[in-house]
């Protein structure tokens, strides 16, 4: 277990596109665990690899832990791709571990379908709504070098 240093607003890595993960080796598994450790240690509900300085296409999240104070339910998505989006939109206040103390309303799709590979190399398809759909959209944006403030209505 290791908590990695977060990258903050102004760090150019947050504006870069991440690279697809081709092989799920021990380094990737360690990165996934470290990202979860870092997320929980900072009371976050989601984290993208670029936020700990790695330009790799991986996100982690756990929407249950903070929201309902249940046991941990971590999700690791490798090479996630949002393949469908509902027409209906929702506006929710978001924050980001790379932007401490900044909260802004962002309009997102209410429901999404995401395809990804899990840590065991299995292809998964997830239909998400509510907070889970919002977190996935926020974290997948990071993988394209987009941060939530880029989505705020000007
Ligand atoms: Ni973020």
């Amino acid at each position: 277990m290791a908590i990695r240093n977060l990258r903050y607003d102004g760090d150019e890595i947050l504006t870069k596109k991440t690279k697809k993960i081709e092989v799920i080796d021990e380094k990737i598994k360690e990165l996934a665990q470290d990202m979860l450790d870092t997320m929980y240690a900072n009371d976050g509900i989601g984290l993208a690899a670029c936020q700990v300085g790695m330009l790799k296409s991986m996100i982690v999240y756990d929407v249950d832990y903070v929201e309902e104070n249940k046991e941990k339910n971590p999700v690791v998505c490798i090479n996630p791709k949002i393949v469908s989006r509902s027409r209906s939109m929702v506006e929710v206040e978001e924050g980001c571990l790379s932007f401490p103390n900044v909260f802004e309303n962002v309009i997102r799709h209410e429901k999404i379908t995401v395809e990804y590979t899990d840590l065991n190399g299995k292809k998964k398809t997830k239909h998400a709504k509510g907070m889970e759909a919002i977190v996935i959209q926020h974290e997948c944006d990071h993988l394209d070098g987009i941060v939530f403030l880029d989505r705020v209505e000007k």
Side-chain angles (χ1 to χ4, degrees):
M1 145 161 197
I3 294 166
R4 300 201 186 191
N5 290 331
L6 285 170
R7 300 299 188 97
Y8 294 103
D9 184 20
D11 191 318
E12 71 169 9
I13 200 166
L14 296 177
T15 66
K16 290 187 172 166
K17 231 174 135 55
T18 56
K19 293 195 179 67
K20 195 174 173 195
I21 293 170
E22 304 290 350
V23 182
I24 303 168
D25 56 14
E26 287 310 309
K27 282 209 147 175
I28 291 296
K29 290 179 182 176
E30 191 183 329
L31 174 61
Q33 188 55 54
D34 288 356
M35 284 169 62
L36 285 166
D37 294 340
T38 305
M39 179 187 81
Y40 288 125
N42 288 280
D43 291 323
I45 58 174
L47 193 69
C50 52
Q51 292 181 274
V52 293
M54 302 296 286
L55 279 177
K56 303 220 178 268
S57 181
M58 176 157 61
I59 67 170
V60 301
Y61 67 87
D62 185 343
V63 289
D64 296 327
Y65 185 56
V66 168
E67 218 187 13
E68 294 165 51
N69 207 22
K70 289 193 293 198
E71 61 196 62
K72 288 180 181 174
N73 184 24
V75 180
V76 176
C77 303
I78 294 167
N79 303 327
K81 188 165 188 286
I82 296 171
V83 293
S84 78
R85 299 164 172 85
S86 67
R87 225 170 271 162
S88 57
M89 310 294 283
V90 284
E91 186 172 9
V92 175
E93 192 180 74
E94 294 185 18
C96 178
L97 290 180
S98 295
F99 295 78
N101 304 314
V102 179
F103 299 93
E104 292 284 352
N105 280 1
V106 182
I107 296 168
R108 303 271 188 195
H109 298 275
E110 185 181 15
K111 298 176 189 169
I112 53 128
T113 301
V114 62
E115 292 178 355
Y116 63 96
T117 303
D118 73 9
L119 272 181
N120 298 314
K122 278 212 170 101
K123 300 261 187 217
K124 300 261 178 132
T125 300
K126 183 187 284 279
H127 304 284
K129 59 184 175 155
M131 190 52 69
E132 184 174 30
I134 288 164
V135 170
I136 291 168
Q137 288 170 85
H138 177 119
E139 302 311 333
C140 284
D141 269 355
H142 275 300
L143 301 181
D144 290 328
I146 296 165
V147 298
F148 76 122
L149 293 180
D150 297 330
R151 300 272 188 204
V152 173
E153 300 278 296
K154 297 266 156 50

